[in-house]
Amino acid sequence: MALLGTGCVVGSLLLPGADGHGDGPSLADLAQSEAQGYGTALVSAADPGRDGGLGATAVDPNNPAELKAIAADMLGDYGWGPEQMTCLDQLWEKESNWNPLAENPDSGAYGIPQAWPAEKLATAGDDWRTNPVTQITWGLDYIEAAYGSPCTVWNGYTNWY
């Protein structure tokens, strides 16, 4: 279980389902559902393969400033300096306007990094459809593996248009 502030606990405790047994939704699922209704996503960006990790936190998926701050905090985990954020911001502003629900109607590319096919995002977490931190993590992993850095992508990207 993760503690999210005073008195807010999210875990995998299953609540009773229709048959009275523990096959109903988990507390985490209910919390996520309720948080989405209020425009706040409960996210966890802990990555055992990296030094950092945000742990469990709350973020407004409709607030690009919050999403950019999370991405900026993650840059060091990839060995990138803060100068890379300018390029990342321009790239993802162009791709999705930092919208975790952005979907290209022609290609089906999805999320903040516009992954195509969209299901690729699942490699970063089962909550890829709604969790902006999962999408940011996948996008940064992809940029690192395919291009080396956000500025390498952005400098090439500006020539594509």
Side-chain angles (χ1 to χ4, degrees), residues 67-108:
L67 303 179
K68 291 174 188 183
I70 289 169
D73 285 345
M74 295 171 72
L75 292 179
D77 293 342
Y78 294 84
W80 301 326
E83 72 282 353
Q84 294 293 320
M85 189 59 203
T86 301
C87 296
L88 183 67
D89 183 26
Q90 292 171 326
L91 177 66
W92 286 350
E93 190 74 35
K94 182 89 170 159
E95 288 287 349
S96 67
N97 201 30
W98 288 84
N99 178 356
L101 302 178
E103 185 170 1
N104 183 310
D106 296 325
S107 70

Side-chain angles (χ1 to χ4, degrees), residues 32 36 41-44 100 127-136:
Q32 180 69 26
Q36 289 290 332
L42 299 176
V43 299
S44 176
D127 57 354
W128 62 271
R129 285 181 179 86
T130 58
N131 187 334
V133 177
T134 297
Q135 294 177 14
I136 291 167

Side-chain angles (χ1 to χ4, degrees), residues 4 8-10 15 25-42 58-62 130:
L4 301 174
C8 182
V9 177
V10 177
L15 301 176
S26 71
L27 284 177
D29 291 339
L30 288 175
Q32 180 69 26
S33 174
E34 289 299 312
Q36 289 290 332
Y38 290 103
T40 301
L42 299 176
V59 62
D60 181 351
N62 301 311
T130 58

Side-chain angles (χ1 to χ4, degrees), residues 107-150:
S107 70
Y110 188 82
I112 294 169
Q114 288 293 280
W116 184 80
E119 292 77 18
K120 283 184 181 181
L121 289 164
T123 62
D126 293 338
D127 57 354
W128 62 271
R129 285 181 179 86
T130 58
N131 187 334
V133 177
T134 297
Q135 294 177 14
I136 291 167
T137 301
W138 182 89
L140 294 176
D141 287 348
Y142 176 77
I143 288 170
E144 179 184 47
Y147 300 98
S149 74

